[in-house]
Structure formats: structure tokens, C-alpha cells
Amino acid sequence: MDEALAERIRAALQACADKAYGDTLRMHLGGRRPTDAECDHLVTSAGGEQMTLAMWLGLQMHDEAQRCAEERLSQLKPRGFVTTPRYRRVPKDPANKNPDPKKPEDWRTEWIDPPKESMLRSAEKLGTIVPDIVLHDGHPLLVQKVFDYKFPCKSGRLPSWRKYPVGHPYQGRYQDRVYKDLLKVDPEPISPTGGP
């Protein structure tokens, strides 16, 4: 992909992040940023799940940014992107059911197409990755660029890649490194310019 197109795409995704951030704060907080204490406040989602306001606002912003990104990318790179694709690491040799997790040469990355993804049980999703946006060269495994939205809540907090928790197949590793290992490109975070 030429760098001029990549820059236009970055700018479009940045505009989507800025719009999602501003629109969400206007809709839910009268346009003001939440205080650090409010970010930690527990709220209940429409589905009945308890989460912090930071997480809830992030989900709202993320959903809006994704809708915007799909619209913009369909103009800039039609048939050359996918949003929220799911990938997993599988053994290169199907006969070897338990390759060494520390040996990347024993593994390959598999894209799970949406019809198959809808049939996965929760346990089968553990260990998969779902970047926000993947630009590709005709197929989701021909990855060119990876972008992930980050919407920090607390003031002064820089966008950061999350660290996988204990018990997760990638425990102790950071999200960006896992994305790089599986997709072979450095992922780029996209955050609002008017953020905390």
C-alpha cells in the first residue's frame, strides 16, 4: 500500500475517533470529560453487566468510531479492509496438537470467517485476537496495516495497549505484541486528539 493512501486512511480513522469521542461525551455527559473518580464509578450496561464508566464510555465511543471507519474505508479502500476480524494461532502441523507456545515457527495464523465465528463457543474464542481494523491486500490474511482504537478516560492518561490477565493464553503479554506476532505488522493505536 502506498504511503499517501496510508496517511489518508490514518487521517480518516483519526477523524472518526475524534467524532466518536466528542459525540459520546455530548450525548452522555453534556460535552464535558468525566472526572477521574467518575471514570472508576460502576455502571450497569443495557445487558445488565457491571463495568466502570470508563469501560462503558469506551464501548460507546468504539462502536461509533467503528461505524464511521467502515463508511470512510469503503470509500478509501473498498474490498481492502475488515473490521473486528477474529484470528487465532493454530499448529502448522495438524498432527502436532501441542506445539511449544514459545516457538513461533511451530504456529500459523488462521482467520476465522464470520459464519464460522458465529458458531464458536466462548471457550473456543479464548486465545483469539480481534483487532479493530485490518487493511489487507484482497484477503484478511494478507495483512497490510492493523489499527486499534484506544479511548482513555482519566485525565493525563496516554492510550495504552492492555496486558492480558492471569489465566489468559497470552497472560502477561501486551496486546500490541500479540497482534504483531500473529499478524506480522506493528499495530497502530488510534486515539482522540482531544482526549484526556
Side-chain angles (χ1 to χ4, degrees), residues 49-103:
E49 184 182 352
Q50 286 267 307
M51 63 182 67
T52 63
L53 180 65
M55 291 173 65
W56 187 83
L57 286 172
L59 290 171
Q60 306 309 307
M61 292 173 188
H62 183 271
D63 288 349
E64 186 171 333
Q66 284 291 81
R67 283 190 294 276
C68 173
E70 286 181 21
E71 183 180 308
R72 300 293 296 274
L73 288 171
S74 65
Q75 297 164 5
L76 292 167
K77 193 170 177 20
R79 294 176 306 282
F81 75 95
V82 63
T83 58
T84 61
R86 188 174 295 275
Y87 297 91
R88 67 179 159 203
R89 190 169 74 155
V90 295
K92 276 187 183 171
D93 178 2
N96 184 359
K97 298 294 182 203
N98 294 308
D100 185 339
K102 292 185 171 70
K103 290 186 175 177

Side-chain angles (χ1 to χ4, degrees), residues 140-162:
L141 284 171
L142 301 174
V143 177
Q144 295 173 312
K145 299 259 183 212
V146 176
F147 298 97
D148 218 57
Y149 283 112
K150 303 293 177 192
F151 292 101
C153 186
K154 293 186 176 181
S155 61
R157 173 86 40 103
L158 294 174
S160 61
W161 295 97
R162 74 181 171 102

Side-chain angles (χ1 to χ4, degrees), residues 125-129 162-172 178:
K125 291 180 181 179
L126 189 63
T128 63
I129 62 168
R162 74 181 171 102
K163 189 175 188 179
Y164 289 101
V166 173
H168 191 281
Y170 300 120
Q171 74 178 20
V178 173

Side-chain angles (χ1 to χ4, degrees):
M1 169 187 327
D2 73 72
E3 195 51 39
L5 176 58
E7 280 305 314
R8 286 197 308 276
I9 289 171
R10 270 188 211 93
L13 297 179
Q14 184 65 61
C16 289
D18 291 342
K19 181 177 183 338
Y21 181 78
D23 288 354
T24 300
L25 292 183
R26 275 188 291 284
M27 183 181 300
H28 299 289
L29 294 174
R32 69 174 179 81
R33 284 195 292 212
T35 65
D36 289 358
E38 287 174 320
C39 288
D40 292 333
H41 182 74
L42 286 180
V43 297
T44 303
S45 72
E49 184 182 352
Q50 286 267 307
M51 63 182 67
T52 63
L53 180 65
M55 291 173 65
W56 187 83
L57 286 172
L59 290 171
Q60 306 309 307
M61 292 173 188
H62 183 271
D63 288 349
E64 186 171 333
Q66 284 291 81
R67 283 190 294 276
C68 173
E70 286 181 21
E71 183 180 308
R72 300 293 296 274
L73 288 171
S74 65
Q75 297 164 5
L76 292 167
K77 193 170 177 20
R79 294 176 306 282
F81 75 95
V82 63
T83 58
T84 61
R86 188 174 295 275
Y87 297 91
R88 67 179 159 203
R89 190 169 74 155
V90 295
K92 276 187 183 171
D93 178 2
N96 184 359
K97 298 294 182 203
N98 294 308
D100 185 339
K102 292 185 171 70
K103 290 186 175 177
E105 65 273 11
D106 290 348
W107 299 87
R108 68 179 176 81
T109 299
E110 176 180 82
W111 169 65
I112 304 168
D113 64 51
K116 287 182 185 173
E117 181 180 355
S118 67
M119 295 186 291
L120 291 178
R121 296 183 307 270
S122 291
E124 293 173 306
K125 291 180 181 179
L126 189 63
T128 63
I129 62 168
V130 184
D132 290 333
I133 299 161
V134 171
L135 304 182
H136 60 74
D137 193 17
H139 188 280
L141 284 171
L142 301 174
V143 177
Q144 295 173 312
K145 299 259 183 212
V146 176
F147 298 97
D148 218 57
Y149 283 112
K150 303 293 177 192
F151 292 101
C153 186
K154 293 186 176 181
S155 61
R157 173 86 40 103
L158 294 174
S160 61
W161 295 97
R162 74 181 171 102
K163 189 175 188 179
Y164 289 101
V166 173
H168 191 281
Y170 300 120
Q171 74 178 20
R173 298 190 63 206
Y174 286 92
Q175 185 184 33
D176 60 327
R177 295 299 84 209
V178 173
Y179 283 13
K180 165 90 182 211
D181 288 350
L182 270 70
L183 302 176
K184 309 301 183 216
V185 298
D186 283 312
E188 298 180 41
I190 303 287
S191 289
T193 52

